[in-house]
Amino acid sequence: TEFMIIDNMPVEIAGEQNILAVIRKGGIELPTFCYYSELSVYGACRMCVVEDKWGTIHAACSTPPKPGMEIRTNTPRLRKYRKMILELLLSNHCRDCTTCEKNGKCKLQELARRFGIKQVRFSNTAGDADMDTSSLAIVRDKSKCILCGDCVRVCDEVQNVGAIDFAFRGSRMCVSPAFDEPIANTNCVGCGQCAAVCPTGAIVVRNDTAKLWQEISDKDTKVVVQIAPAVRVGIGKELGLGEGENVMGRIVAALRRMGVDEVFDTSTGADLTVLEEAGEFMFRLESGEKLPLFTSCCPAWVRYAELNHPELMENISTCRSPMQMFAAVLKEQYRHSHRRVVVVAVMPCTAKKQEAAREEFIEDGVRYVDYVISTQELIQMIKEAGIVFAEIEPEAVDMPFGTTSGAGVIFGVTGGVTEAVIRRISDDKSVSSLRAIAFTGVRGLEGVKETSLDFAGREVKIAIVSGLKNAAQLLKKIQKGEKQYDFVEVMACPGGCICGAGQPFIGGEGKWNRSAGLYEADRMSNIKRSEENPVIMALYGGLLKGKVHKLLHVDYRR
Ligand code: HC1
Ligand code: SF4
């Protein structure tokens, strides 16, 4: 084993790319604005500077570890240097912290507090707010940007979109879409990953909570809420519980206290999606047409395909996303309600806000999904209402759509849709077959997975990708003929919905807890297969009769 010395303590080097990673492993929370292990190293913010034994200063993020290296992370010089950087950043940054969307979660605010910045020695050159509110998913304010470039790199390196980049030089430098267009007019897909990594309030998730409070307080409005699979394992940590803990029952209870009228689980909608998508898949396998079939539940992926691969649109499943299927069912169910009915979706996702506003999902001027609230927004509402989440008693969702299957719940993690569809189409309905499916390679948070299965005497090939860059690379191989698949699951966010940009941000290992939380929910569910969910059968025999196409499918090519 090889070691380096960090603040007089030996720390093992185990393949880390830079000393920053070794230092953090050694238990020192070195500050940075621009470092994420998933992104390329930019080395712009200089907050992670350290000293070697000769007093030379290095940026830890871009210095490779060497055995025997001696590093100090906290010397008078380094403290002075970091304070200087923070003061320079603050001198050019608006300080309306109390009214900022990022208040309490801003890294600049956090580090200013941590390093005890009590005054800024430079004059304030911050301009006025410079807002771009054109997107339904994200809001940009250039005046809060510290030029760390995290958003630029995630959009390009992880999502292969490149909607934003650095523009101008020197003091005019900023991050902007090409030609300073509003972001909504670009190829942005609304995935929100830029907001997830932004350390300040320069890019945030759009906040729609005020409108929802308004609806809740309106006595003539019936507020019906559906909760996405991934939310239950993403919300707990910030409300005093464990990362990845399934707190669905508490969410339901909290929403009721807030005053909503009915609460349901989007996993029920996912069960509908499984039946429709599996049916569509079997039909295409038989006809041999429009293969591979691409999944359609992720709206950022659908948008990406529309913008970059119009030729693939006929391969994308015609199934509406579970959120939209369920919303259509709910609107149909309450069609004759004497009160105005609004459907609210609590989602781990920012792109769902855009999906809800698509013209395909508006009928007679009314949306199927009236409001999409991110997990983070729900956290804010719970806090605003003064609900002590960790102490609230869990409650069950409402009837008549109160049952879900484990297959529907695992939609929230990459590979979940595929596993649910395989459960549906495999002939062997035994418990051992169920277990075997879990070990075919569908599980795990890797960005690209492959599996195959026997169906009606032929080998069916499947790919599962998350992160649009991974999707783009796979598409290239498919189009070049290097790879051939029958079914491809795509989720825009790396890891799937559990890592959606509407969730509290987790870098690193926490996502495994969220994934484990959903698989545990599946294990604990006494219905494993979507077709065994009694609600679904009742729907096909009742409300959906003659309306399956109208309520559950969509043609994105209109
Ligand atoms: Fe998802 Fe889906 S799984 S897209 O990741 O298919 O957002 O959680 O709700 O619609 O069910 C998100 C999650 C979610 C849909 C389902
Ligand atoms: Fe890029 Fe996604 Fe941000 Fe749009 S929302 S700018 S696609 S990272």
Side-chain angles (χ1 to χ4, degrees), residues 135 137-138 140 151-152 154-156 159-164 177 183 186-197 203 300 350 354 468 501:
S135 161
I138 53 170
R140 299 168 54 241
C151 55
V152 173
V154 83
C155 189
D156 175 40
Q159 299 300 56
N160 201 47
V161 172
I164 39 179
I183 189 84
T186 70
N187 58 341
C188 167
V189 297
C191 68
Q193 288 297 319
C194 52
V197 295
I203 307 184
T350 57
Q354 293 185 345
L468 289 172

Side-chain angles (χ1 to χ4, degrees), residues 127-402:
D128 294 336
D130 187 353
M131 309 289 278
D132 176 356
T133 56
S134 63
S135 161
L136 296 177
I138 53 170
V139 176
R140 299 168 54 241
D141 180 354
K142 271 193 223 165
S143 76
K144 290 177 180 160
C145 177
I146 59 168
L147 300 174
C148 66
D150 295 343
C151 55
V152 173
R153 281 173 294 139
V154 83
C155 189
D156 175 40
E157 294 172 13
V158 178
Q159 299 300 56
N160 201 47
V161 172
I164 39 179
D165 203 348
F166 288 105
F168 307 114
R169 293 190 172 270
S171 65
R172 290 183 62 223
M173 194 178 199
C174 67
V175 169
S176 160
F179 310 113
D180 208 16
E181 279 284 318
I183 189 84
N185 298 357
T186 70
N187 58 341
C188 167
V189 297
C191 68
Q193 288 297 319
C194 52
V197 295
C198 177
T200 69
I203 307 184
V204 294
V205 177
R206 186 178 199 96
N207 189 317
D208 295 305
T209 56
K211 286 179 258 172
L212 180 52
W213 279 128
Q214 184 70 38
E215 296 288 9
I216 290 173
S217 60
D218 180 355
K219 290 281 159 279
D220 298 323
T221 301
K222 182 183 176 80
V223 179
V224 181
V225 179
Q226 54 165 308
I227 303 159
V231 175
R232 72 203 63 195
V233 293
I235 200 172
K237 181 80 191 295
E238 253 186 48
L239 294 170
L241 298 156
E243 182 67 85
E245 193 178 330
N246 178 1
V247 293
M248 182 66 179
R250 291 178 199 267
I251 303 174
V252 175
L255 282 165
R256 289 214 181 97
R257 290 215 189 166
M258 281 156 51
V260 313
D261 297 285
E262 309 266 346
V263 189
F264 299 107
D265 186 341
T266 307
S267 312
T268 308
D271 283 330
L272 277 175
T273 307
V274 171
L275 293 204
E276 289 304 310
E277 197 153 335
E280 187 180 23
F281 183 41
M282 290 190 278
F283 183 80
R284 291 198 195 183
L285 277 176
E286 268 155 39
S287 70
E289 281 168 15
K290 296 190 260 178
L291 290 171
L293 174 70
F294 289 95
T295 58
S296 58
C297 5
C298 171
W301 151 241
V302 170
R303 188 87 193 111
Y304 181 86
E306 275 180 323
L307 290 168
N308 302 287
H309 291 281
E311 76 284 1
L312 283 180
M313 289 314 287
E314 62 167 19
N315 287 58
I316 291 190
S317 165
T318 65
C319 290
R320 295 184 185 184
S321 70
M323 173 182 88
Q324 289 295 346
M325 285 195 181
F326 203 12
V329 165
L330 291 170
K331 282 274 161 92
E332 184 68 19
Q333 171 81 1
Y334 299 116
R335 207 148 56 104
H336 303 295
S337 165
H338 57 281
R339 288 194 287 168
R340 183 176 148 258
V341 173
V342 300
V343 168
V344 179
V346 183
M347 292 280 139
C349 175
T350 57
K352 289 279 173 198
K353 290 179 185 263
Q354 293 185 345
E355 183 187 44
R358 287 187 68 120
E359 57 170 270
E360 294 89 344
F361 302 126
I362 300 176
E363 214 189 281
D364 301 331
V366 180
R367 292 185 187 188
Y368 285 106
V369 178
D370 298 276
Y371 302 97
V372 173
I373 295 290
S374 68
T375 311
Q376 293 182 43
E377 289 165 83
L378 182 61
I379 291 172
Q380 186 210 320
M381 293 180 84
I382 289 171
K383 288 183 175 168
E384 208 177 332
I387 294 166
V388 184
F389 196 73
E391 286 170 19
I392 198 169
E393 299 278 356
E395 292 174 15
V397 294
D398 285 295
M399 293 307 273
F401 307 117

Side-chain angles (χ1 to χ4, degrees), residues 80-149:
K80 198 171 136 196
Y81 194 79
R82 289 192 184 117
K83 279 194 182 181
M84 176 78 86
I85 296 172
L86 285 168
E87 283 182 60
L88 283 167
L89 286 173
L90 286 166
S91 75
N92 188 29
H93 193 96
C94 109
R95 286 173 231 159
D96 302 338
C97 296
T98 49
T99 51
C100 178
E101 183 67 33
K102 200 79 172 193
N103 188 13
K105 285 187 196 160
C106 168
K107 240 191 200 165
L108 183 58
Q109 191 184 44
E110 179 201 325
L111 292 181
R113 189 170 53 225
R114 180 169 146 193
F115 288 93
I117 309 289
K118 298 294 173 217
Q119 55 166 10
V120 176
R121 284 165 286 174
F122 316 104
S123 62
N124 195 338
T125 55
D128 294 336
D130 187 353
M131 309 289 278
D132 176 356
T133 56
S134 63
S135 161
L136 296 177
I138 53 170
V139 176
R140 299 168 54 241
D141 180 354
K142 271 193 223 165
S143 76
K144 290 177 180 160
C145 177
I146 59 168
L147 300 174
C148 66

